Amino acid sequence: MCNSRAFQRLESRNTGLLYIHHKGPLENKVLDVPEGTPVPYALYQFQASHLEVDGFRLTGETEGKISISEDGWLYLEQTLDWVHTQTHTLELEALVGSEPVEGPVIITINVLDVNNHAPSFNQTDYIGIVKERTPAGVPFARVFATDLDDPESPNAHLSYTLVSQIPNRDNTLFFQINSNTGEISTTAEGERLLKARESVIHSRGGDFSDSLKKRFDDYCTPTGDIPYELNPFYSCVQRAEFRRLNPLEDPDFTLIVRVEDMGGESVNALNGNARVKIVVQENLWVNPGPINLREQLKGIYPMPIGKVQSNDPSAFYRLVQKERELTFPFNVTEEGAILLTEELDREDKAMYILVVFAEDSYGNQVDPPLEVQVVVDDVNDNAPICEEELSVFEVQENEPTGSPVGHLMVHDADDDNTPNALLSYSLVTQTPSSVFTIDGISGRIQAKQMLQRRDATEYHLTVRVNDPGFSTECKVLIKVIDINNELPIFEMNDYGSHNLSEDTALGHTLLTVKATDADDPGTGSSRIEFHITAGNEDGVFAMETDDNGEGRLVVAKPLNYETASSYKLQIVARNPEPLVSGLEYGAESSAVVSVAISDVDEAPVFDMDILDVTVPEDTKEGATLLKIDAKDPEGKEILFKMEGDTKGWLEIDPATGEIKIKNKAVLDRETVEAFHFTVVAFEKANPELSSEHEVSVRLLDVNDNVPKLTENQAFICVKKPQPIVLTALDADADPFGAPFTFSLAQGKKSPNWDLSAVDGTSAKLTLKKSPSEDKTFLIPINIKDNAGMGITQKFEVRVCNCTELGYCFTEPGVHAGVLGMPTTIGILAGTVVFIALVLIIAFHRIKKDNQKKALLGETDAIL
């Protein structure tokens, strides 16, 4: 608090003093102030109603930055910082002298965030290792940045961009970055063009130096008087191999990536930059498919048909079938050779999909599974087959010459796309006369002349069908039928009006229509087919026809009152055989029916069929996950609810369908990487009418865990010291997990210990010099994950003399001197309790003996 005269001097001295020219009574007040506002800064003048007020008292969360003058001006003495405090809650009283006469009132100052913090990456250099032919869009690395500004405002809405790729000789980008997640993947050009540098390929379990020297001896045969280290060719290969083991010392590409706040959409956005060093590794894990094999292939089984090679020389291979077939005639050797175990038959199965896994000794995948297609090539081992034992056709008399009779249907089980299934047709016999011809390619039969029933009512044909290796004969019967000179006639031409509710089941029969035809029974001239020709544009209805002149009008698609409330259908009756020349179908072969659709209160309908959401696991409480959209077909008000959120992380707005993260809820990918829940939309007035939709949520990992040792103590035998293998685990996923970096704390060299990496999750702790006596060491081990995050952990090692079984041995005389305080106290307490029990028992016996003696003395006196 300062007096009025001092505040006036402050005004005159600081010509830059800023005001919000607001004043008002002494009452509860909420003020919004941007952070970083220049000071001094007048906020508000409070005016007391008591006329004798001569000052004010301000208490609460002022932090020495907010003050009040004697005449009631609330002002800033120091700038406010949103990162430090978002809200200041104060109490203000009006004073006469030092006694409060009004108040206290509550003043809330909300500090408004301004974009004054640039986003920053969690590390300046990232590592990315990508294999050749990695599919475009599949992430292999990820950058991550944070912003100290308000995460609910655009000030902390981060967007990632790829600034440059070095080198970029042909102005072709091989990499891309997801603007929202920071995930880096290859482009289509990168998938196609990225190539690794050549290096030495090791066999299973091979060592760098041994493997290199062996290959050098095998292929270069240096003279024995030249040491390896002095041979320039060996040194060149050695440098190439060193790069394979330490690829980031000489990366293939360096990406400059940028992160911007404000979503990257403002010229005033702040930004940060980082580098991503990328090494392209040779991808030996190549799909050998498709593999083409002839069916019925003769040879020695099992027969090698292909080979796979993992990028991990120590990988074990496993082969499974993608489809669930009874037989699976394939296997894989430990060297990756794919074997066929028996002959294949294309007619049984034309293609197999083999799934090949490369795994380590623990069953963990070291390369993504390969789906290898095995295509069975056809050989001509099937004869043509007539689809009918006797193929029957009808043709009207007096049809003109060349009129089609029909197609002879023949099937060949061989591959349609090969000559093995190429068929040819020829007529062998015709009785009673030769009046037909057949197309040699298609099997189409035609009449060579006009037929008359008085000449013959039936003809019998024998057709020979050939493929390149087989021949089959098919029997054909052709009936000459009466001409179609009678029309089908409906029993009525108007079937009236009918009502259907819009929830009528599919297949429901609305009515049955009937028609008659006076042509010869059992022929195509008298057979009747029914069709809807008008009023059914959306295909909601269909006609089903039988062979007795009846047709059924059925519901073929779901009805919808809101789309169409009525239909007027026109149904016609037709013969499969053409009418004689000059005769046409008329009104007697047509009928109408009217259908009215009644409305039914239907359940709400969701706007989207699939709802999949991906969010980072550090998404803050109160953030919107997604908004569900649904509508009621009748336009009624609907509400939403959520079911199946077993973690209790989410809440839904019943009115809007907006799903948010609950207050105090913390998403955790290490608890569950993906989860599902159900959203129910229902009518407010009729909750029983509801629809459900499943939502799938996948959590993106952030680096919120550090690698931790699985064991924190071990021992080493003095006479046979063996290195200790330290193993660490990190619950985070790539790129925030393995490989780990192990080091002694602060990078200092130890005179007693040496620490070297074994693989991405373990290191070897070696004792350099054994102590002269048993000794326990507390060794600080620093372990960092792939993103450089980690802590120092204590590892206890006891160096001791061991028994023949390999355990630490302790001399008998040593035990007395190594009891801890808790053990000593326990022994003393037990001793005290034991002595007390002995004294109690002795006292009890003495008392009992005295009573007995007294009783005996009384008896003697009586006697």
Side-chain angles (χ1 to χ4, degrees), residues 510-541:
L510 177 61
L511 80 154
T512 300
V513 298
K514 292 184 179 181
T516 57
D517 192 301
D519 285 313
D520 284 350
T523 68
S525 298
S526 63
R527 191 161 58 250
I528 301 174
E529 297 174 347
F530 297 94
H531 307 278
I532 302 174
T533 57
N536 191 35
E537 286 74 15
D538 50 1
V540 170
F541 298 97

mmCIF file of all heavy atoms in Angstrom, residues 510-541:
data_model
loop_
_atom_site.group_PDB
_atom_site.id
_atom_site.type_symbol
_atom_site.label_atom_id
_atom_site.label_comp_id
_atom_site.label_asym_id
_atom_site.label_seq_id
_atom_site.Cartn_x
_atom_site.Cartn_y
_atom_site.Cartn_z
ATOM 1 N N LEU A 510 -46.146 -58.003 -50.007
ATOM 2 C CA LEU A 510 -47.253 -57.042 -49.893
ATOM 3 C C LEU A 510 -48.540 -57.598 -50.501
ATOM 4 O O LEU A 510 -49.610 -57.513 -49.908
ATOM 5 C CB LEU A 510 -46.849 -55.727 -50.569
ATOM 6 C CG LEU A 510 -47.904 -54.621 -50.619
ATOM 7 C CD1 LEU A 510 -48.322 -54.208 -49.209
ATOM 8 C CD2 LEU A 510 -47.353 -53.412 -51.375
ATOM 9 N N LEU A 511 -48.451 -58.198 -51.700
ATOM 10 C CA LEU A 511 -49.624 -58.826 -52.311
ATOM 11 C C LEU A 511 -49.163 -59.791 -53.384
ATOM 12 O O LEU A 511 -47.998 -59.774 -53.807
ATOM 13 C CB LEU A 511 -50.560 -57.776 -52.914
ATOM 14 C CG LEU A 511 -50.196 -57.192 -54.290
ATOM 15 C CD1 LEU A 511 -51.438 -56.722 -54.987
ATOM 16 C CD2 LEU A 511 -49.211 -56.065 -54.153
ATOM 17 N N THR A 512 -50.090 -60.639 -53.839
ATOM 18 C CA THR A 512 -49.848 -61.603 -54.907
ATOM 19 C C THR A 512 -50.717 -61.242 -56.087
ATOM 20 O O THR A 512 -51.927 -60.990 -55.939
ATOM 21 C CB THR A 512 -50.170 -63.034 -54.441
ATOM 22 O OG1 THR A 512 -49.329 -63.348 -53.323
ATOM 23 C CG2 THR A 512 -49.916 -64.033 -55.553
ATOM 24 N N VAL A 513 -50.099 -61.175 -57.279
ATOM 25 C CA VAL A 513 -50.838 -60.887 -58.519
ATOM 26 C C VAL A 513 -50.923 -62.164 -59.338
ATOM 27 O O VAL A 513 -50.071 -63.055 -59.218
ATOM 28 C CB VAL A 513 -50.162 -59.755 -59.313
ATOM 29 C CG1 VAL A 513 -50.143 -58.461 -58.500
ATOM 30 C CG2 VAL A 513 -48.756 -60.129 -59.730
ATOM 31 N N LYS A 514 -51.941 -62.227 -60.200
ATOM 32 C CA LYS A 514 -52.135 -63.408 -61.043
ATOM 33 C C LYS A 514 -52.436 -62.987 -62.468
ATOM 34 O O LYS A 514 -53.058 -61.945 -62.718
ATOM 35 C CB LYS A 514 -53.283 -64.273 -60.508
ATOM 36 C CG LYS A 514 -52.996 -64.934 -59.171
ATOM 37 C CD LYS A 514 -54.146 -65.847 -58.755
ATOM 38 C CE LYS A 514 -53.844 -66.525 -57.421
ATOM 39 N NZ LYS A 514 -54.952 -67.440 -57.007
ATOM 40 N N ALA A 515 -51.983 -63.853 -63.418
ATOM 41 C CA ALA A 515 -52.277 -63.644 -64.840
ATOM 42 C C ALA A 515 -52.328 -65.006 -65.512
ATOM 43 O O ALA A 515 -51.785 -65.996 -65.005
ATOM 44 C CB ALA A 515 -51.222 -62.753 -65.496
ATOM 45 N N THR A 516 -53.011 -65.079 -66.657
ATOM 46 C CA THR A 516 -53.132 -66.334 -67.403
ATOM 47 C C THR A 516 -52.687 -66.105 -68.837
ATOM 48 O O THR A 516 -52.680 -64.980 -69.338
ATOM 49 C CB THR A 516 -54.574 -66.850 -67.386
ATOM 50 O OG1 THR A 516 -55.441 -65.826 -67.937
ATOM 51 C CG2 THR A 516 -55.019 -67.167 -65.972
ATOM 52 N N ASP A 517 -52.300 -67.235 -69.544
ATOM 53 C CA ASP A 517 -51.875 -67.171 -70.947
ATOM 54 C C ASP A 517 -52.398 -68.417 -71.634
ATOM 55 O O ASP A 517 -52.234 -69.543 -71.137
ATOM 56 C CB ASP A 517 -50.354 -67.121 -71.028
ATOM 57 C CG ASP A 517 -49.857 -66.770 -72.415
ATOM 58 O OD1 ASP A 517 -50.171 -67.491 -73.372
ATOM 59 O OD2 ASP A 517 -49.122 -65.749 -72.529
ATOM 60 N N ALA A 518 -53.049 -68.249 -72.805
ATOM 61 C CA ALA A 518 -53.717 -69.352 -73.507
ATOM 62 C C ALA A 518 -52.807 -70.138 -74.425
ATOM 63 O O ALA A 518 -53.260 -71.069 -75.102
ATOM 64 C CB ALA A 518 -54.905 -68.796 -74.309
ATOM 65 N N ASP A 519 -51.500 -69.798 -74.518
ATOM 66 C CA ASP A 519 -50.583 -70.566 -75.359
ATOM 67 C C ASP A 519 -50.349 -71.953 -74.763
ATOM 68 O O ASP A 519 -50.810 -72.260 -73.660
ATOM 69 C CB ASP A 519 -49.261 -69.809 -75.493
ATOM 70 C CG ASP A 519 -49.379 -68.624 -76.437
ATOM 71 O OD1 ASP A 519 -49.933 -68.786 -77.536
ATOM 72 O OD2 ASP A 519 -48.944 -67.518 -76.051
ATOM 73 N N ASP A 520 -49.594 -72.804 -75.513
ATOM 74 C CA ASP A 520 -49.342 -74.181 -75.079
ATOM 75 C C ASP A 520 -48.742 -74.189 -73.677
ATOM 76 O O ASP A 520 -47.737 -73.512 -73.422
ATOM 77 C CB ASP A 520 -48.381 -74.871 -76.044
ATOM 78 C CG ASP A 520 -49.088 -75.266 -77.339
ATOM 79 O OD1 ASP A 520 -50.323 -75.172 -77.383
ATOM 80 O OD2 ASP A 520 -48.376 -75.649 -78.291
ATOM 81 N N PRO A 521 -49.330 -74.955 -72.757
ATOM 82 C CA PRO A 521 -48.793 -75.009 -71.395
ATOM 83 C C PRO A 521 -47.371 -75.573 -71.373
ATOM 84 O O PRO A 521 -47.012 -76.415 -72.193
ATOM 85 C CB PRO A 521 -49.779 -75.933 -70.662
ATOM 86 C CG PRO A 521 -51.002 -75.937 -71.504
ATOM 87 C CD PRO A 521 -50.555 -75.763 -72.918
ATOM 88 N N GLY A 522 -46.605 -75.104 -70.418
ATOM 89 C CA GLY A 522 -45.263 -75.618 -70.214
ATOM 90 C C GLY A 522 -44.234 -75.127 -71.204
ATOM 91 O O GLY A 522 -43.122 -75.669 -71.244
ATOM 92 N N THR A 523 -44.581 -74.137 -72.004
ATOM 93 C CA THR A 523 -43.622 -73.591 -72.972
ATOM 94 C C THR A 523 -43.325 -72.148 -72.629
ATOM 95 O O THR A 523 -44.013 -71.516 -71.816
ATOM 96 C CB THR A 523 -44.182 -73.670 -74.399
ATOM 97 O OG1 THR A 523 -45.293 -72.760 -74.519
ATOM 98 C CG2 THR A 523 -44.629 -75.080 -74.746
ATOM 99 N N GLY A 524 -42.266 -71.642 -73.298
ATOM 100 C CA GLY A 524 -41.910 -70.246 -73.068
ATOM 101 C C GLY A 524 -42.958 -69.281 -73.570
ATOM 102 O O GLY A 524 -42.988 -68.110 -73.160
ATOM 103 N N SER A 525 -43.847 -69.756 -74.425
ATOM 104 C CA SER A 525 -44.907 -68.878 -74.929
ATOM 105 C C SER A 525 -45.999 -68.669 -73.899
ATOM 106 O O SER A 525 -46.716 -67.653 -73.935
ATOM 107 C CB SER A 525 -45.513 -69.480 -76.211
ATOM 108 O OG SER A 525 -44.540 -69.586 -77.231
ATOM 109 N N SER A 526 -46.166 -69.630 -72.978
ATOM 110 C CA SER A 526 -47.215 -69.492 -71.967
ATOM 111 C C SER A 526 -46.665 -69.120 -70.589
ATOM 112 O O SER A 526 -47.437 -68.725 -69.701
ATOM 113 C CB SER A 526 -48.026 -70.790 -71.871
ATOM 114 O OG SER A 526 -47.176 -71.855 -71.442
ATOM 115 N N ARG A 527 -45.348 -69.281 -70.408
ATOM 116 C CA ARG A 527 -44.767 -68.950 -69.106
ATOM 117 C C ARG A 527 -44.809 -67.430 -68.907
ATOM 118 O O ARG A 527 -44.529 -66.662 -69.830
ATOM 119 C CB ARG A 527 -43.336 -69.475 -69.012
ATOM 120 C CG ARG A 527 -42.764 -69.400 -67.622
ATOM 121 C CD ARG A 527 -41.562 -70.310 -67.437
ATOM 122 N NE ARG A 527 -40.485 -70.018 -68.382
ATOM 123 C CZ ARG A 527 -40.131 -70.822 -69.385
ATOM 124 N NH1 ARG A 527 -40.777 -71.985 -69.569
ATOM 125 N NH2 ARG A 527 -39.147 -70.501 -70.211
ATOM 126 N N ILE A 528 -45.144 -67.008 -67.683
ATOM 127 C CA ILE A 528 -45.357 -65.573 -67.404
ATOM 128 C C ILE A 528 -44.314 -65.092 -66.410
ATOM 129 O O ILE A 528 -44.063 -65.726 -65.382
ATOM 130 C CB ILE A 528 -46.774 -65.333 -66.840
ATOM 131 C CG1 ILE A 528 -47.832 -65.809 -67.840
ATOM 132 C CG2 ILE A 528 -46.975 -63.858 -66.496
ATOM 133 C CD1 ILE A 528 -49.251 -65.741 -67.301
ATOM 134 N N GLU A 529 -43.704 -63.947 -66.735
ATOM 135 C CA GLU A 529 -42.786 -63.261 -65.830
ATOM 136 C C GLU A 529 -43.369 -61.888 -65.513
ATOM 137 O O GLU A 529 -43.987 -61.245 -66.376
ATOM 138 C CB GLU A 529 -41.402 -63.105 -66.480
ATOM 139 C CG GLU A 529 -40.735 -64.435 -66.786
ATOM 140 C CD GLU A 529 -39.446 -64.257 -67.565
ATOM 141 O OE1 GLU A 529 -39.222 -63.116 -68.071
ATOM 142 O OE2 GLU A 529 -38.674 -65.217 -67.676
ATOM 143 N N PHE A 530 -43.180 -61.438 -64.246
ATOM 144 C CA PHE A 530 -43.724 -60.148 -63.812
ATOM 145 C C PHE A 530 -42.576 -59.171 -63.556
ATOM 146 O O PHE A 530 -41.536 -59.519 -62.981
ATOM 147 C CB PHE A 530 -44.554 -60.331 -62.536
ATOM 148 C CG PHE A 530 -45.766 -61.209 -62.723
ATOM 149 C CD1 PHE A 530 -45.715 -62.579 -62.453
ATOM 150 C CD2 PHE A 530 -46.969 -60.667 -63.194
ATOM 151 C CE1 PHE A 530 -46.824 -63.385 -62.641
ATOM 152 C CE2 PHE A 530 -48.083 -61.480 -63.368
ATOM 153 C CZ PHE A 530 -48.011 -62.835 -63.091
ATOM 154 N N HIS A 531 -42.778 -57.897 -63.935
ATOM 155 C CA HIS A 531 -41.773 -56.848 -63.779
ATOM 156 C C HIS A 531 -42.436 -55.553 -63.341
ATOM 157 O O HIS A 531 -43.586 -55.278 -63.729
ATOM 158 C CB HIS A 531 -41.008 -56.609 -65.083
ATOM 159 C CG HIS A 531 -40.412 -57.840 -65.693
ATOM 160 N ND1 HIS A 531 -39.222 -58.366 -65.279
ATOM 161 C CD2 HIS A 531 -40.884 -58.664 -66.689
ATOM 162 C CE1 HIS A 531 -38.950 -59.458 -65.989
ATOM 163 N NE2 HIS A 531 -39.950 -59.668 -66.848
ATOM 164 N N ILE A 532 -41.736 -54.760 -62.520
ATOM 165 C CA ILE A 532 -42.193 -53.413 -62.156
ATOM 166 C C ILE A 532 -41.546 -52.440 -63.140
ATOM 167 O O ILE A 532 -40.314 -52.349 -63.225
ATOM 168 C CB ILE A 532 -41.785 -53.056 -60.715
ATOM 169 C CG1 ILE A 532 -42.352 -54.073 -59.732
ATOM 170 C CG2 ILE A 532 -42.260 -51.653 -60.355
ATOM 171 C CD1 ILE A 532 -41.867 -53.871 -58.303
ATOM 172 N N THR A 533 -42.384 -51.694 -63.882
ATOM 173 C CA THR A 533 -41.852 -50.812 -64.930
ATOM 174 C C THR A 533 -41.963 -49.334 -64.591
ATOM 175 O O THR A 533 -41.362 -48.516 -65.284
ATOM 176 C CB THR A 533 -42.589 -51.077 -66.247
ATOM 177 O OG1 THR A 533 -44.003 -50.874 -66.058
ATOM 178 C CG2 THR A 533 -42.335 -52.505 -66.719
ATOM 179 N N ALA A 534 -42.684 -48.971 -63.541
ATOM 180 C CA ALA A 534 -42.813 -47.550 -63.196
ATOM 181 C C ALA A 534 -43.104 -47.417 -61.705
ATOM 182 O O ALA A 534 -43.669 -48.318 -61.070
ATOM 183 C CB ALA A 534 -43.926 -46.894 -64.021
ATOM 184 N N GLY A 535 -42.689 -46.261 -61.143
ATOM 185 C CA GLY A 535 -42.976 -45.944 -59.745
ATOM 186 C C GLY A 535 -42.013 -46.554 -58.744
ATOM 187 O O GLY A 535 -42.204 -46.415 -57.524
ATOM 188 N N ASN A 536 -40.963 -47.209 -59.210
ATOM 189 C CA ASN A 536 -40.036 -47.909 -58.300
ATOM 190 C C ASN A 536 -38.595 -47.501 -58.606
ATOM 191 O O ASN A 536 -37.689 -48.321 -58.666
ATOM 192 C CB ASN A 536 -40.200 -49.424 -58.462
ATOM 193 C CG ASN A 536 -39.479 -50.216 -57.393
ATOM 194 O OD1 ASN A 536 -39.399 -49.797 -56.236
ATOM 195 N ND2 ASN A 536 -38.928 -51.365 -57.774
ATOM 196 N N GLU A 537 -38.419 -46.170 -58.767
ATOM 197 C CA GLU A 537 -37.107 -45.678 -59.207
ATOM 198 C C GLU A 537 -35.981 -46.013 -58.216
ATOM 199 O O GLU A 537 -34.828 -46.205 -58.618
ATOM 200 C CB GLU A 537 -37.156 -44.159 -59.435
ATOM 201 C CG GLU A 537 -37.902 -43.745 -60.688
ATOM 202 C CD GLU A 537 -39.419 -43.897 -60.556
ATOM 203 O OE1 GLU A 537 -39.888 -44.053 -59.403
ATOM 204 O OE2 GLU A 537 -40.118 -43.885 -61.582
ATOM 205 N N ASP A 538 -36.286 -46.044 -56.912
ATOM 206 C CA ASP A 538 -35.237 -46.334 -55.925
ATOM 207 C C ASP A 538 -35.114 -47.822 -55.612
ATOM 208 O O ASP A 538 -34.354 -48.216 -54.733
ATOM 209 C CB ASP A 538 -35.470 -45.552 -54.628
ATOM 210 C CG ASP A 538 -36.894 -45.709 -54.106
ATOM 211 O OD1 ASP A 538 -37.682 -46.435 -54.745
ATOM 212 O OD2 ASP A 538 -37.224 -45.095 -53.072
ATOM 213 N N GLY A 539 -35.847 -48.672 -56.345
ATOM 214 C CA GLY A 539 -35.685 -50.116 -56.197
ATOM 215 C C GLY A 539 -36.135 -50.665 -54.865
ATOM 216 O O GLY A 539 -35.623 -51.705 -54.428
ATOM 217 N N VAL A 540 -37.085 -50.007 -54.209
ATOM 218 C CA VAL A 540 -37.542 -50.457 -52.896
ATOM 219 C C VAL A 540 -38.331 -51.761 -53.000
ATOM 220 O O VAL A 540 -38.265 -52.599 -52.106
ATOM 221 C CB VAL A 540 -38.382 -49.345 -52.222
ATOM 222 C CG1 VAL A 540 -39.080 -49.870 -50.979
ATOM 223 C CG2 VAL A 540 -37.498 -48.161 -51.872
ATOM 224 N N PHE A 541 -39.048 -51.950 -54.112
ATOM 225 C CA PHE A 541 -39.880 -53.148 -54.275
ATOM 226 C C PHE A 541 -39.316 -54.020 -55.387
ATOM 227 O O PHE A 541 -38.551 -53.557 -56.251
ATOM 228 C CB PHE A 541 -41.328 -52.759 -54.604
ATOM 229 C CG PHE A 541 -41.991 -51.959 -53.514
ATOM 230 C CD1 PHE A 541 -42.041 -50.574 -53.587
ATOM 231 C CD2 PHE A 541 -42.557 -52.588 -52.410
ATOM 232 C CE1 PHE A 541 -42.640 -49.835 -52.588
ATOM 233 C CE2 PHE A 541 -43.159 -51.856 -51.404
ATOM 234 C CZ PHE A 541 -43.198 -50.477 -51.489
#
